[in-house]
Amino acid sequence: MECLTSPELTLGEWGQGLKERLGGQRFPFGATFEITERCNLGCVHCFINQPPHSKQGLDQELSLSEISRILDQMADAGVINLLLTGGEILLREDFKEIYLHAKKLGMLVMLFTNGTLLTAEMADFLAEWPPYFLEISLYGATRETYENITRVPGSFDRCMQAIQLSLDRKLKLGLKTIVLTVNQHELSAMQKFAEDLDIPFRYDAMLWPRIDGSHKPWKYQLSPEEILELDKKDENRYGKQKELYSIIGNNYKRSENVFSCGAGFSGFHVDALGKMSVCMMVRKPAYDLRHGNVEEGWHFLGEVRAKKRELDTPCQTCDAGMLCIQCPGWSQMVHGDLETPVDFICKVGHLRKDYINSLIEKK
């Protein structure tokens, strides 16, 4: 029976109410936690994956007891939303213990997986202890394209099986893909597949360098012009860009602070070795949770977050800023600092601005 005196709040409404009570103060609402760098697939574009039985990966990654201690400290600090990612999270034999520990601490846990290791038994476990959201990566609409990317025979069928297992158990499921030169021809088919299943689908077309510094993934990067064409075909994405630009347009200016997003302000990242940083892309400077705690780490990240700009870059006066994803993460991944703009990202931003301006001028 519905209680007439206790109206239900959505998660968004509840979160907004909490933020208002904090009065704009820093607070660690969310965290991403890479529990392994190892993966059972060998995706051509991946920025992090190590082989599944990598001795270095196994020797260096956090133990169950270390992860449990860090999760306890996250909960004490106030973390509500937790993303468990990798590598492939289901490669860890202690995944269930890690996941249950976070769930029992009251966190809303999201899982990123390629799905190929999701068995019926694991799906039953997740049905008993449902994640807030389960997101499976889909690299193609056909076996040939998918396995051309993953480089593992049989992986497409196992991914399809994982999707069906999740649907059968009514898990809150979504799909995502990374658009590459070798799968862009199947993007619309992947979108249609998700639409027919009535589940969310998202994509990204920007490839990071590998965290070891290699630029090999860029072999599969779409051109800025191809990315703009994707924008034009995606009514939802293009609509949001146009709305933002119509509100702020050329008046957008970068902050005097290096960071102007939520990195280190409303969340943080922890890698498989226990290094705590402001976000997944900005991995330095980092605080070592193996020899410290989350509370001290959050204070450390506050100092990182307060860093002021030191370089004179075009970003400070660029009139495409509202449509540009240039950030300290991109600068660090490509140039090794937090401010130098990435030419590729700049070009995409300017193409978006020019296209939207051309539409405005036609009116």
Side-chain angles (χ1 to χ4, degrees), residues 114-163:
N114 62 45
T116 60
L117 298 178
L118 185 68
T119 62
E121 186 272 334
M122 181 62 76
D124 288 340
F125 166 77
L126 292 178
E128 182 180 359
W129 298 89
Y132 177 69
F133 194 64
L134 172 66
E135 191 168 73
I136 294 178
S137 297
L138 180 65
Y139 300 117
T142 65
R143 182 177 294 103
E144 180 181 8
T145 296
Y146 182 98
E147 294 182 3
N148 187 35
I149 292 169
T150 65
R151 298 185 287 192
V152 176
S155 54
F156 177 77
D157 290 339
R158 293 199 297 275
C159 179
M160 292 295 107
Q161 180 185 44
I163 293 169

Side-chain angles (χ1 to χ4, degrees), residues 308-325:
K308 303 293 183 183
R309 289 183 176 275
E310 298 176 355
L311 302 182
D312 183 14
T313 73
C315 292
Q316 293 163 274
T317 56
C318 179
D319 60 1
M322 193 66 250
L323 299 170
C324 182
I325 62 169

Side-chain angles (χ1 to χ4, degrees), residues 11-29:
L11 181 61
E13 290 170 336
W14 177 81
Q16 183 60 36
L18 181 56
K19 287 182 180 179
E20 290 172 358
R21 286 174 174 80
L22 287 169
Q25 298 180 66
R26 287 178 68 239
F27 188 83
F29 287 99

Side-chain angles (χ1 to χ4, degrees), residues 298-315:
W298 184 244
H299 177 74
F300 169 81
L301 296 185
E303 297 175 354
V304 176
R305 167 83 193 187
K307 183 176 173 59
K308 303 293 183 183
R309 289 183 176 275
E310 298 176 355
L311 302 182
D312 183 14
T313 73
C315 292

Side-chain angles (χ1 to χ4, degrees), residues 167 171 173-175 191-201:
L167 291 171
L171 298 176
L173 175 67
L175 300 178
Q191 291 172 318
K192 179 68 164 51
F193 175 71
E195 183 181 332
D196 289 345
L197 294 175
D198 194 28
I199 56 177
F201 176 86

Side-chain angles (χ1 to χ4, degrees), residues 320-358:
M322 193 66 250
L323 299 170
C324 182
I325 62 169
Q326 172 63 43
C327 73
W330 276 107
S331 296
Q332 186 171 94
M333 292 288 279
V334 177
H335 296 297
D337 63 50
L338 295 174
E339 299 180 60
T340 304
V342 177
D343 290 343
F344 182 87
I345 302 301
C346 290
K347 187 166 185 180
V348 172
H350 280 283
L351 284 174
R352 286 172 170 164
K353 181 206 71 170
D354 292 344
Y355 176 64
I356 290 178
N357 271 338
S358 72

Side-chain angles (χ1 to χ4, degrees), residues 24-285:
Q25 298 180 66
R26 287 178 68 239
F27 188 83
F29 287 99
T32 57
F33 202 158
E34 277 169 0
I35 58 175
T36 183
E37 293 182 357
R38 297 176 295 117
C39 187
N40 61 310
L41 302 183
C43 295
V44 296
H45 64 280
C46 191
F47 75 101
I48 192 173
N49 59 326
Q50 292 192 40
H53 304 296
S54 165
K55 186 177 187 305
Q56 178 182 358
L58 285 163
D59 288 346
Q60 292 184 348
E61 67 188 28
L62 294 165
S63 66
L64 174 60
S65 62
E66 288 174 318
I67 289 177
S68 298
R69 174 178 59 81
I70 291 171
L71 289 174
D72 288 342
Q73 293 171 2
M74 284 183 178
D76 289 342
V79 171
I80 300 165
N81 299 308
L82 176 69
L83 167 62
L84 295 182
T85 184
E88 173 46 52
I89 57 175
L90 297 182
L91 259 182
R92 287 200 61 133
E93 295 180 358
D94 53 8
F95 166 76
K96 288 182 182 178
E97 288 86 347
I98 294 170
Y99 175 71
L100 278 180
H101 195 91
K103 286 280 289 182
K104 291 179 178 179
L105 286 169
M107 296 179 184
L108 301 174
V109 186
M110 181 186 294
L111 305 176
F112 280 3
T113 175
N114 62 45
T116 60
L117 298 178
L118 185 68
T119 62
E121 186 272 334
M122 181 62 76
D124 288 340
F125 166 77
L126 292 178
E128 182 180 359
W129 298 89
Y132 177 69
F133 194 64
L134 172 66
E135 191 168 73
I136 294 178
S137 297
L138 180 65
Y139 300 117
T142 65
R143 182 177 294 103
E144 180 181 8
T145 296
Y146 182 98
E147 294 182 3
N148 187 35
I149 292 169
T150 65
R151 298 185 287 192
V152 176
S155 54
F156 177 77
D157 290 339
R158 293 199 297 275
C159 179
M160 292 295 107
Q161 180 185 44
I163 293 169
Q164 192 58 54
L165 287 170
S166 302
L167 291 171
D168 290 345
R169 287 153 182 80
K170 295 181 170 48
L171 298 176
K172 190 175 180 183
L173 175 67
L175 300 178
K176 69 170 181 286
T177 198
I178 183 75
V179 187
L180 312 170
T181 56
V182 291
N183 73 353
Q184 62 176 316
H185 62 291
E186 293 187 356
L187 176 59
S188 60
M190 288 186 275
Q191 291 172 318
K192 179 68 164 51
F193 175 71
E195 183 181 332
D196 289 345
L197 294 175
D198 194 28
I199 56 177
F201 176 86
R202 66 184 179 96
Y203 70 85
D204 191 2
M206 302 290 196
L207 299 184
W208 296 356
R210 287 186 62 85
I211 58 173
D212 62 9
S214 169
H215 289 177
K216 285 183 179 179
W218 284 351
K219 177 182 176 182
Y220 304 93
Q221 174 68 64
L222 299 188
S223 70
E225 292 76 14
E226 288 172 318
I227 291 172
L228 180 64
E229 289 305 310
L230 291 182
D231 287 351
K232 293 178 184 179
K233 295 174 184 177
D234 190 323
E235 185 175 335
N236 183 53
R237 181 175 295 214
Y238 164 67
K240 289 178 180 177
Q241 292 173 1
K242 187 176 179 181
E243 181 181 1
L244 280 173
Y245 194 74
S246 66
I247 295 171
I248 299 177
N250 296 339
N251 296 319
Y252 176 83
K253 294 294 181 287
R254 299 273 176 180
S255 164
E256 66 176 5
N257 293 328
V258 170
F259 294 93
S260 57
C261 60
F265 187 83
S266 57
F268 59 90
H269 175 67
V270 179
D271 72 12
L273 282 65
K275 300 296 175 57
M276 180 178 177
S277 61
V278 293
C279 80
M280 190 179 292
M281 288 183 75
V282 181
R283 293 176 179 250
K284 295 178 183 178

